[in-house]
């Protein structure tokens, strides 16, 4: 009698979902946004499409409707599929809290800390989470568009890999390799990546795409032909550089540093550059405003911004040390003296208080630290992590707002302070106060991310600054809905990529 066929093999035969994977020659080559475009393009074909990234390393996170935490890029990719975000789209999230330490989020919940010296622990202890998530998606959808991380050619990490070729092999996914020509050396990076892969890994590579191209494509053609000959894989598209991408970035490498084109009556918005900045996309909206210059604040410079923002950070104590060492607290006081506004978001809000306590050693070995004393609040770090989607209103203006909370701290207000927001958490009926404000709202803080995504609220804050200068207010910008931006990006990518060839590679019906 023949041995019974293994259950895993029987399940593989029953799975109908096709797979397609985007890997890159390095970080920030455009993997995330290309997956976003492909998700929308294949969705238009009537397929049930889902994104998947087994392991993400980013402090730019998002909260799902059921209170789970995933990478922001996967939330955008879910929107491209017109799906609510869920933890299965990004089952493992590594949130760096320093050069050698990180917080580990598994299936949307904190799974402890991770040391760089033991990076292999993810595969040893949590590969089951990634496998379980992708299996559930394959049972539900027609196509899974997977995303790799960094580069599959990081051979020093091959034994620990669960996100690149290891996952491609696990789900038998054909891989498209993406290179960024804007950084230079793209032809060498494509060939070099293939050279560093082993024979089994190379079999998964079905073609390559060149991203962020500027110039005349005919000048690039000889190089493309040479790469095709070297690696024996076709070029499936050359995507031009598009300045108006307007999609949230996964990494803080290029967070907005923008100068207003109109030099008359310009408002300066300074974002304090802190270690392990988190949810930096909170400030993307300022880059769209015609009267705003956005820049990074690195020290107590002679330039005094109209709005100084202390952003979120994954290492509050270290950020506080840097701010004090560079005397940015002195700059904050000069902002206030000159009629400007000081605001803190999440960790930035905690930094603005009198005291930060960490009795459980959640973020630091220091049990207590004195804050900047800009707000009469005290913060205590404690478990569990607070992760909620929220809606409510701004206490001063009454404006309706939505956003999300991701924090370990609990902050109590002194008797003289008022709440900044009144919020209702997803799934809860009662409202609760959030944040704090003093000096008629010119010094304020909140735990809510995403507030400045609202053009109306963003313009309200900016117009208050304009009025203090004696300038007339401006109207809010038209709302640029994420769905519309994804459509525009998908149209752009679709016009520069060989979608029929990708459909055949993924073995989609009708291809």
């Amino acid at each position: 009698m023949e041995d019974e066929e293994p259950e895993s093999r029987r399940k593989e035969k029953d799975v109908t979902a096709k797979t397609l994977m985007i890997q890159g020659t390095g970080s920030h080559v455009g993997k995330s946004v290309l997956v976003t475009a492909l998700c929308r393009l294949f969705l238009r074909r009537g397929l049930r499409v889902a994104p998947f990234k087994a392991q993400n390393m980013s402090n730019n996170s998002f909260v799902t409707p059921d209170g789970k935490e995933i990478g922001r890029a996967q939330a955008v990719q879910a929107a491209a599929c017109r799906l609510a975000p869920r933890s299965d789209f990004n089952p493992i999230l590594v949130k760096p809290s320093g050069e050698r330490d990180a917080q580990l989020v598994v299936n949307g919940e904190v799974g402890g800390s991770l040391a760089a010296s033991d990076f292999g622990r993810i595969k040893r202890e949590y590969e089951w989470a990634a496998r379980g998530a992708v299996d559930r998606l394959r049972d539900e959808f027609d196509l899974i568009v997977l995303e790799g991380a960094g580069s599959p050619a990081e051979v020093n990490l091959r034994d620990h890999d669960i996100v690149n070729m290891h996952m491609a092999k696990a789900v038998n996914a054909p891989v498209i390799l993406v290179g960024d020509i804007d950084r230079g050396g793209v032809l060498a990076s494509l060939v070099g990546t293939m050279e560093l892969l082993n024979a089994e890994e190379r079999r998964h590579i079905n073609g390559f795409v060149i991203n962020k191209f500027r110039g005349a494509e005919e000048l690039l053609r000889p190089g493309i032909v040479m790469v095709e000959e070297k690696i024996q894989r076709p070029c499936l598209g050359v995507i031009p550089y598009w300045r108006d991408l307007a999609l949230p970035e996964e990494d803080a490498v290029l967070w907005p540093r923008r100068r207003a084109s109109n030099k008359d009556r310009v408002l300066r918005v300074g974002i304090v550059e802190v270690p392990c900045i988190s949810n930096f996309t909170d400030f993307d909206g300022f880059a769209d405003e015609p009267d705003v210059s956005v820049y990074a604040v690195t020290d107590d410079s002679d330039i005094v911004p109209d709005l100084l923002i202390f952003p979120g950070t994954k290492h509050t104590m270290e950020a506080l040390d840097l701010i004090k060492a560079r005397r940015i607290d002195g700059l904050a006081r000069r902002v206030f003296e000159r009629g400007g506004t000081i605001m803190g978001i999440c960790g930035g809000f905690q930094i603005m208080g009198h005291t930060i306590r960490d009795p459980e050693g959640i973020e630091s070995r220091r049990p207590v630290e004195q804050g900047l004393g800009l707000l009469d609040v005290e913060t205590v770090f404690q478990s569990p992590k607070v992760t909620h989607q929220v809606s409510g209103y701004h206490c001063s203006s009454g404006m309706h707002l939505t956003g999300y909370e991701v924090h370990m701290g609990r902050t109590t207000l002194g008797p003289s302070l008022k709440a900044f927001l009144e919020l209702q958490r997803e799934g809860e009926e009662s409202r609760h106060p959030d944040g704090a404000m003093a000096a008629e709202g010119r010094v304020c803080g909140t735990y809510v991310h995403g507030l400045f995504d609202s053009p109306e609220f963003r313009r309200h804050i900016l117009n208050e600054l304009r009025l203090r200068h004696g300038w007339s207010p401006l109207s809010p910008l038209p709302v640029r809905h994420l769905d519309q931006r994804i459509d525009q990006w998908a149209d752009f990518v679709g016009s520069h990529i060989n979608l029929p060839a990708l459909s055949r590679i993924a073995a989609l019906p009708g291809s």
Side-chain angles (χ1 to χ4, degrees), residues 104-387:
L104 190 60
V105 178
V106 180
N107 286 334
E109 299 181 349
V110 175
S113 59
L114 180 70
S117 58
D118 193 19
F119 194 73
R121 177 175 160 232
I122 295 176
K123 185 174 182 179
R124 291 195 311 272
E125 298 184 14
Y126 297 108
E127 185 181 358
W128 61 267
R131 292 293 192 99
V134 76
D135 283 347
R136 286 189 291 272
L137 296 178
R138 295 177 80 192
D139 286 341
E140 182 179 349
F141 294 92
D142 301 317
L143 174 66
I144 313 300
V145 185
L146 298 91
E147 179 186 344
S151 165
E154 293 164 355
V155 294
N156 54 306
L157 300 177
R158 180 178 280 143
D159 292 342
H160 307 312
D161 171 46
I162 67 166
V163 66
N164 286 311
M165 284 302 176
H166 185 77
M167 185 54 60
K169 288 185 280 187
V171 299
N172 194 28
V175 174
I176 307 303
L177 192 60
V178 183
D180 175 5
I181 195 170
D182 191 50
R183 292 187 168 190
V186 69
L187 304 180
S189 64
L190 288 164
V191 175
T193 297
M194 286 291 284
E195 284 292 323
L196 287 172
L197 300 180
N198 61 39
E200 184 182 4
E201 292 168 338
R202 283 196 292 271
R203 281 195 288 270
H204 282 272
I205 304 291
N206 278 253
F208 66 93
V209 170
I210 292 177
N211 194 23
K212 306 181 191 177
F213 178 70
R214 310 175 197 237
E217 191 171 331
E218 59 267 22
L219 297 177
L220 180 61
R221 177 52 49 186
I224 290 176
V225 171
M226 182 175 291
V227 171
E228 289 178 325
E229 292 174 350
K230 286 278 188 183
I231 70 174
Q232 293 296 295
R233 303 293 190 279
C235 178
L236 298 169
V238 177
I239 303 173
Y241 192 100
W242 196 27
R243 295 183 182 278
D244 195 31
L245 179 57
L247 293 178
E249 295 279 0
E250 181 175 72
D251 302 313
V253 177
L254 295 175
W255 66 273
R257 293 161 170 83
R258 175 191 176 276
R259 303 291 179 182
S261 56
N262 177 12
K263 298 302 182 183
D264 185 35
R265 297 185 175 181
V266 170
L267 296 171
R268 297 189 183 97
V269 175
I271 316 294
V272 178
E273 197 161 80
V274 294
C276 303
I277 187 170
S278 62
N279 298 81
F280 55 90
T281 49
D282 284 344
F283 317 114
D284 282 358
F286 286 118
D288 294 330
E289 297 291 349
D291 60 336
V292 170
S293 286
V294 186
Y295 67 100
V297 174
T298 58
D299 54 30
D300 182 13
S301 69
D302 294 332
I303 301 173
V304 179
D306 299 283
L307 173 60
L308 180 67
I309 301 178
F310 293 97
T313 170
K314 196 64 194 66
H315 202 312
T316 309
M317 297 293 199
E318 186 178 331
L320 183 59
D321 289 344
L322 182 144
I323 287 166
K324 290 178 178 178
R326 297 184 178 179
R327 300 181 180 178
I328 299 174
D329 51 338
L331 175 63
R333 289 176 171 81
R334 286 195 287 132
V335 169
F336 181 78
E337 291 166 0
R338 298 190 186 186
T341 294
I342 309 161
M343 178 177 286
I345 310 290
C346 199
F349 170 38
Q350 298 166 349
I351 285 167
M352 291 174 64
H354 281 302
T355 310
I356 301 172
R357 300 186 186 278
D358 192 2
E360 299 177 27
I362 290 172
E363 280 200 14
S364 171
R365 295 180 181 178
R366 286 178 281 178
V368 63
E369 187 62 64
Q370 299 303 306
L372 303 183
L374 299 171
L375 284 169
D376 183 17
V377 301
E378 178 175 294
T379 297
V380 178
F381 289 127
Q382 62 186 65
S383 301
K385 195 174 197 177
V386 177
T387 54

Side-chain angles (χ1 to χ4, degrees), residues 8 13 55 102 207 246 303 321 423:
S8 59
K13 288 183 177 180
Q55 173 193 311
I303 301 173
D321 289 344
L423 298 178

